[in-house]
Amino acid sequence: MVLLQSTWLDIQCFNLVYRSSPYQGILVFADDFKCSEEDAVKMGSPIAYDAASRQLARKLSLLKITKEEYVLMKAILLFNPDMNVENTERVQELQDRIHDALIEYERAHGVAASQRRSGNLLLALPLLMQAKILAKEYWFQVKKSDRVPLHKLLSEMLEYARS
């Protein structure tokens, strides 16, 4: 539960950019909500968050991330919490196993430089962390301003993310 509470926003940001791949100038928040750069400006979307999300969607598109890589990357995010967990050794063991699975997936699918490919995928994580921080700041501002009533669960998750 602690891992989910700590990484839910990372995973949501990653889901957004994966849904938007291959990137063609549109961020796909949902099947019925797609956002161009022009739409983002009109809606008052935070410029830095929008730019980071689009940059990450472009990067994943260039890498041609597969569904399997996407799932493994989400697992890596889940087991990379921002906070301390009770069983650090177990989390580290799971991180290692998932990273090994990513490398093995690359090898099994004929990617010649499998470690390089997995490294390139992992190099997307700092940009994802930047997008997450910007998204968190935005949602805190929305909550603080009372512009939009937030569902109780989202409010609780934001409070948890603050600590």
Side-chain angles (χ1 to χ4, degrees):
M1 188 64 169
V2 170
L3 292 171
L4 280 174
Q5 288 173 328
S6 176
T7 61
W8 69 273
L9 191 53
D10 308 64
I11 292 169
Q12 289 303 317
C13 290
F14 193 64
N15 288 342
L16 167 65
V17 296
Y18 179 75
R19 275 192 307 271
S20 303
S21 296
Y23 182 70
Q24 298 172 339
I26 303 292
L27 288 178
V28 181
F29 287 89
D31 288 340
D32 61 348
F33 182 51
K34 299 173 182 176
C35 186
S36 68
E37 288 184 64
E38 184 179 291
D39 295 334
V41 170
K42 286 180 190 173
M43 290 185 280
S45 178
I47 295 168
Y49 171 69
D50 187 69
S53 297
R54 291 176 192 283
Q55 183 179 354
L56 187 53
R58 278 190 289 278
K59 183 174 183 112
L60 293 183
S61 293
L62 287 172
L63 290 170
K64 295 183 172 123
I65 187 170
T66 66
K67 177 93 172 176
E68 293 80 5
E69 290 168 328
Y70 160 69
V71 170
L72 287 165
M73 290 293 290
K74 279 177 51 170
I76 287 170
L77 288 170
L78 178 65
F79 292 107
N80 190 25
D82 287 337
M83 57 187 315
N84 291 330
V85 290
E86 255 180 53
N87 194 341
T88 312
E89 292 166 5
R90 178 72 176 134
V91 171
Q92 182 62 52
E93 177 186 321
L94 289 168
Q95 285 175 341
D96 293 344
R97 288 177 61 194
I98 294 165
H99 187 247
D100 290 346
L102 180 61
I103 292 170
E104 184 56 37
Y105 170 81
E106 305 300 356
R107 266 192 220 125
H109 287 82
V111 178
S114 58
Q115 289 183 323
R116 187 172 304 132
R117 168 106 176 137
S118 63
N120 285 332
L121 289 169
L122 294 172
L123 285 173
L125 294 181
L127 186 54
L128 179 66
M129 295 305 113
Q130 177 187 2
K132 174 192 83 166
I133 290 166
L134 295 166
K136 189 187 302 185
E137 287 174 5
Y138 172 73
W139 284 110
F140 276 129
Q141 290 173 359
V142 168
K143 181 180 178 191
K144 187 177 177 182
S145 71
D146 275 339
R147 291 183 294 181
V148 178
L150 296 181
H151 188 276
K152 186 177 187 239
L153 177 61
L154 179 57
S155 288
E156 289 174 5
M157 295 304 283
L158 284 171
E159 285 304 316
Y160 190 83
R162 177 181 281 172
S163 55

